[in-house]
Amino acid sequence: MRLRLPKFLALLATVACAPTQRERPVRAATAAPTAVAAGAPGTRLGDLGGRAPAASELPVGPASRQAKAAAAGLENVVPPEETVVRVLLYHGIGTRTSRPVVKARAFREQLDWLEAHDIEVIRLSQLLDFLDGELWLPRHAAVITIDDGELNGYSKAYPILKERGLPFTLGLATQVIEEHRTRGALNWLQIREMVDSGLCEVASHSVTHRKMTLLPDEVARFELERSRAVLTEELALRPEAFFYPLGDNNYRVRRLAKQSGYRAAFVAHGGPTIAGTQRFGIPRYDVKPDTSMRKFRSFFNHGIPVLRSSR
Ligand SMILES: [Zn+2]
């Protein structure tokens, strides 16, 4: 049935005068941020289960970077140009001689040394927030990454890290986990348990662990995207970082990683990470079975940049 013209105009006026979301006064976000539901797409691992809120959930502004740090449990934060972060790369903890794994005793000693020297072990997602200018960090920080999904990540490394409450990130090549062909590989149950502890974050380390520079675009894209899809499906999280298998990358691979929607990608050779570090070539110090304490200490002794603004 057609509306008569006066009735139609009256209806139009009512609709036009109704307050919309946009017309309401906009207030600064002052309410306490709510925790993201576990498993929601895009959730950062550090935010699960009511723990530290995501940087993106907190107000934006100079003071907020410190507020975010406080919310994340970080103390003694400094302006970004004064922070140096070292990302440590492990291939497992244990005694397996066929793999470059670090002995549990050496691993403990390294963690003791970090603690004794006030080097804060932070989450990988916090490093990404720092690089995005969303979070301030302590002057010296370290990120622990463990590549390749070896069972000893669960049986040896996890108990030590859990005992100390230290966060870490597993770099997982999904085919190894899915097919479980390799003896001594992690399974999804073990990974879920570590993720659920709130300490473990996950990065994609490709599907088949091949050198990315040797793969045509299409295959490289598959490695980047399929691995993330599998991890998302199995673990109800969306990895934001990619660890290049064998550290192998070039400009083309970095571009593909970026296009695939990753927030950052990590290589396998050392160097400090500072504000402004290229996010698709973040360095990692390779901690090997023969890395002495002297060598380990040296990771933290050199390459401290002087980037302070002139005062
Ligand atoms: Zn690897």
Side-chain angles (χ1 to χ4, degrees):
M1 197 175 86
R2 273 192 199 173
L3 288 170
R4 279 182 301 170
L5 190 62
K7 198 171 177 182
F8 172 73
L9 288 174
L11 184 67
L12 196 67
T14 312
V15 172
C17 293
T20 64
Q21 196 77 27
R22 244 181 241 170
E23 284 166 341
R24 286 180 193 139
V26 179
R27 277 195 215 153
T30 50
T34 50
V36 179
T43 299
R44 290 177 198 163
L45 279 165
D47 316 323
L48 299 181
R51 286 179 288 279
S56 57
E57 291 180 298
L58 288 156
V60 177
S64 72
R65 293 181 190 111
Q66 289 184 67
K68 285 167 196 162
L74 297 169
E75 292 173 359
N76 303 320
V77 296
V78 295
E81 66 271 20
E82 295 178 23
T83 289
V84 187
V85 183
R86 271 78 176 191
V87 184
L88 302 171
L89 160 59
Y90 292 90
H91 284 93
I93 305 301
T95 51
R96 206 170 153 190
T97 48
S98 59
R99 294 271 305 158
V101 297
V102 170
K103 287 202 171 93
R105 200 176 67 179
F107 187 49
R108 280 204 185 87
E109 206 179 334
Q110 291 160 4
L111 298 179
D112 287 344
W113 188 85
L114 294 178
E115 194 183 340
H117 290 81
D118 292 328
I119 297 166
E120 181 92 21
V121 177
I122 60 165
R123 297 171 185 283
L124 185 136
S125 55
Q126 290 173 328
L127 173 62
L128 302 190
D129 287 346
F130 164 75
L131 291 173
D132 280 349
E134 296 172 358
L135 180 71
W136 282 13
L137 294 175
R139 194 175 302 277
H140 292 284
V143 174
I144 296 171
T145 65
I146 306 173
D147 279 15
D148 298 343
E150 291 248 329
L151 177 61
N152 62 54
Y154 177 78
S155 61
K156 297 278 197 291
Y158 178 52
I160 294 171
L161 292 161
K162 190 165 74 168
E163 188 185 284
R164 296 165 184 245
L166 296 179
F168 61 102
T169 296
L170 295 174
L172 300 175
T174 53
Q175 194 176 66
V176 175
I177 317 291
E178 277 194 300
E179 299 183 2
H180 211 71
R181 278 188 306 204
T182 315
R183 234 181 98 241
L186 288 168
N187 65 39
W188 292 120
L189 276 177
Q190 292 157 343
I191 299 167
R192 278 185 210 119
E193 183 188 327
M194 289 189 276
V195 167
D196 289 347
S197 76
L199 293 175
C200 174
E201 298 192 348
V202 170
S204 166
H205 196 34
S206 81
V207 176
T208 60
H209 204 277
R210 286 179 287 175
K211 280 190 162 187
M212 296 287 281
T213 59
L214 303 180
L215 305 176
D217 283 9
E218 209 174 295
V219 183
R221 240 182 241 117
F222 169 82
E223 295 282 345
L224 288 156
E225 292 171 11
R226 175 68 192 156
S227 57
R228 185 177 52 201
V230 171
L231 293 169
T232 302
E233 197 179 317
E234 293 289 346
L235 304 173
L237 54 84
R238 185 179 161 88
E240 296 186 305
F242 187 78
F243 295 170
Y244 302 112
L246 307 160
D248 180 60
N249 76 95
N250 57 17
Y251 175 76
R252 180 181 66 92
V253 171
R254 289 179 189 210
R255 185 169 42 82
L256 289 169
K258 194 173 181 181
Q259 284 170 356
S260 296
Y262 284 96
R263 212 171 154 203
F266 291 69
V267 301
H269 57 265
T273 301
I274 57 169
T277 291
Q278 214 274 9
R279 265 181 300 164
F280 286 81
I282 299 175
R284 293 192 288 169
Y285 291 93
D286 195 0
V287 189
K288 297 174 185 163
D290 61 354
T291 300
S292 62
M293 270 316 291
R294 189 190 166 126
K295 173 83 177 163
F296 185 81
R297 285 198 303 267
S298 77
F299 295 162
F300 295 83
N301 289 345
H302 72 274
I304 297 178
V306 181
L307 289 177
R308 290 186 188 128
S309 52
S310 52
R311 277 180 239 171

